[in-house]
Amino acid sequence: MNTQTSQPMTPPANQSYESLFSDSIERINQALERALDKRAYDRSSQANGLWDAMRYGTLDGGKRIRSVLALEACKACGGDVESILPTACAIEMVHAQSLIHDDLPCMDNDDMRRGKPSVHKAFGESTAVLAGDALIALAFGLIAKETRLNEKATPRQLLSVIGDFSDVTSVQGLVNGQFVDILYEGQPFTPEILEYIHTFKTGALFRFSLRAGARLAGADDTVVARFTQLGEKLGLAFQIVDDLLDIASSSETLGKTAGKDQLQQKATYPAFFGIEASRQQAAQLTQDALTLLEETAGMPPGYDSTNLKTLVAFIADRLH
């Protein structure tokens, strides 16, 4: 196995995530705007309120980290970004859906998301539920109808991505994690339960993003498996950092209600291991992710993980 020495886990000096990945973020935002243009789907006025809620929950705010990961994974493996773009938009739609439903009174009951009223506060609970439902279905259609096929992004690869997307949006992914997360509110939990919750609730979409990027670049199963491991490490690190930020940051900084995990007695890493040990776990997972990116054996010709390494560093650096 060909490995290199890990570089310092520090983002480039004087450059923010938003500035360094501005082209990818803008590309995703423009594609999302087109995908959620209600005039392209329904010219009647009857569904306007539903479209407005879907757009409000998806377009306004969000760092696009998961979809940028998909784009960068595709580029790292020599793929065409146009092939992954519909899937990147689908990732953002499902991520938005998970937040819309997560904020509902019957779930985590939060009135603020991305620095503004949650969708159910702005549009009502029933519209929020329906907006989330519609986003999931629309996301599947976007991948199936809009993916640009070529010699790397073949029909077989596309079917694999759609199958993975079914897993991540169902009981094998986000829904599973949300169910167990709620189940253990205020209940004793073990490290195994904690990892289970975060592996499904947060890690599933990170895994999918990186797998899909590699798949639609034409990568073989060995490479896809390595990117799956990368997603598992990175997703768990991301959630531990989120748990720590919930304690250390303000609502204004987070864009959502700070301190909710403690108020609701959520199963979190700081609650079980403490703050310092949680920081160490996040650092180790991030280092593991960097190590995976440095492994070049079996990677496609021209494999370049520079941007992915930078993304990993930015995710970890949110604590500083």
Side-chain angles (χ1 to χ4, degrees):
M1 181 177 294
N2 184 11
T3 60
Q4 301 169 352
T5 303
S6 297
Q7 297 300 311
M9 196 178 59
T10 306
N14 301 319
Q15 285 189 286
S16 67
Y17 159 78
E18 287 83 2
S19 65
L20 198 63
F21 293 96
S22 59
D23 288 346
S24 292
I25 294 169
E26 181 61 22
R27 201 166 190 173
I28 292 163
N29 284 336
Q30 289 178 356
L32 272 173
E33 178 71 41
R34 292 193 300 270
L36 286 168
D37 182 356
K38 60 188 175 185
R39 293 170 299 178
Y41 295 90
D42 183 358
R43 298 185 182 277
S44 75
S45 62
Q46 298 303 311
N48 279 349
L50 180 59
W51 279 107
D52 289 343
M54 292 163 64
R55 289 169 60 84
Y56 178 92
T58 308
L59 298 179
D60 297 339
K63 292 184 179 294
R64 313 301 186 210
I65 288 174
R66 295 154 186 80
S67 51
V68 170
L69 278 169
L71 260 65
E72 294 302 336
C74 187
K75 288 196 290 186
C77 294
D80 178 5
V81 169
E82 288 300 319
S83 295
I84 191 65
L85 200 54
T87 299
C89 290
I91 289 166
E92 289 301 329
M93 289 179 182
V94 166
H95 181 49
Q97 172 273 323
S98 72
L99 300 180
I100 292 169
H101 284 186
D102 192 53
D103 290 337
L104 289 168
C106 63
M107 300 284 186
D108 282 355
N109 192 23
D110 205 323
D111 293 346
M112 187 168 71
R113 175 67 67 175
R114 291 174 170 172
K116 61 185 183 180
S118 301
V119 173
H120 73 274
K121 297 301 291 185
F123 294 90
E125 289 183 42
S126 60
T127 300
V129 171
L130 293 171
D133 293 344
L135 283 167
I136 296 175
L138 189 61
F140 270 97
L142 195 63
I143 298 174
K145 296 176 185 178
E146 302 296 332
T147 300
R148 182 181 297 181
L149 299 178
N150 53 43
E151 70 280 359
K152 293 182 177 180
T154 64
R156 181 178 179 181
Q157 300 283 42
L158 177 58
L159 282 174
S160 179
V161 168
I162 293 172
D164 282 349
F165 198 60
S166 175
D167 290 342
V168 79
T169 56
S170 69
V171 74
Q172 297 184 68
L174 301 174
V175 178
N176 189 326
Q178 178 73 351
F179 175 78
V180 181
D181 182 45
I182 294 171
L183 187 66
Y184 276 89
E185 279 185 10
Q187 301 298 319
F189 61 92
T190 64
E192 290 74 22
I193 290 295
L194 188 57
E195 184 172 346
Y196 183 98
I197 291 170
H198 292 335
T199 294
F200 284 96
K201 187 175 180 181
T202 303
L205 204 49
F206 276 83
R207 287 196 307 276
F208 173 77
S209 299
L210 289 157
R211 281 175 62 89
R215 279 280 186 216
L216 292 178
D220 63 28
D221 289 344
T222 302
V223 174
V224 172
R226 192 175 299 168
F227 274 74
T228 302
Q229 286 183 281
L230 174 63
E232 289 169 353
K233 301 287 186 183
L234 192 55
L236 190 52
F238 183 93
Q239 185 57 55
I240 294 173
V241 172
D242 253 18
D243 290 349
L244 289 164
L245 289 172
D246 184 74
I247 297 170
S249 297
S250 65
S251 297
E252 289 73 23
T253 301
L254 291 176
K256 59 183 179 179
T257 305
K260 286 280 287 186
D261 290 344
Q262 290 174 298
L263 286 173
Q264 295 179 311
Q265 296 182 292
K266 288 281 191 181
T268 70
Y269 274 78
F272 192 91
F273 294 103
I275 291 174
E276 187 53 40
S278 297
R279 283 178 175 271
Q280 291 174 6
Q281 289 184 62
Q284 183 59 59
L285 286 162
T286 308
Q287 187 57 55
D288 292 345
L290 288 170
T291 299
L292 284 168
L293 284 170
E294 287 163 358
E295 295 175 359
T296 58
M299 289 299 190
Y303 169 68
D304 184 356
S305 62
T306 304
N307 284 355
L308 283 174
K309 287 181 185 177
T310 301
L311 263 174
V312 170
F314 273 122
I315 287 170
D317 199 58
R318 292 181 304 150
L319 282 172
H320 302 120

